[in-house]
Amino acid sequence: MNDSAAASTPRRARVRAPELIGKGGWLNPGGKELTLADLRGRIIVLDFWIS
């Protein structure tokens, strides 16, 4: 890739994800509070549902 192509590509602003807070809390956390920082660099599965 040449320099002109790299210069024409727009840069996206980095946005931090908000903490996941709900009335039920985390399920199966092993008895400890979790934050997104604790999960950084890990592969996780999020399952959202409405009861």
Side-chain angles (χ1 to χ4, degrees):
M1 182 157 68
N2 61 28
D3 291 334
S4 63
S8 64
T9 304
R11 298 202 47 142
R12 289 190 270 169
R14 295 187 77 152
V15 178
R16 292 194 180 268
E19 288 294 329
L20 299 174
I21 300 171
K23 62 181 176 182
W26 289 89
L27 296 177
N28 301 323
K32 67 175 190 172
E33 294 289 324
L34 293 174
T35 65
L36 290 180
D38 297 332
L39 302 172
R40 185 179 177 101
R42 297 177 184 239
I43 297 173
I44 60 169
V45 176
L46 297 177
D47 187 9
F48 294 93
W49 71 93
I50 299 174
S51 55

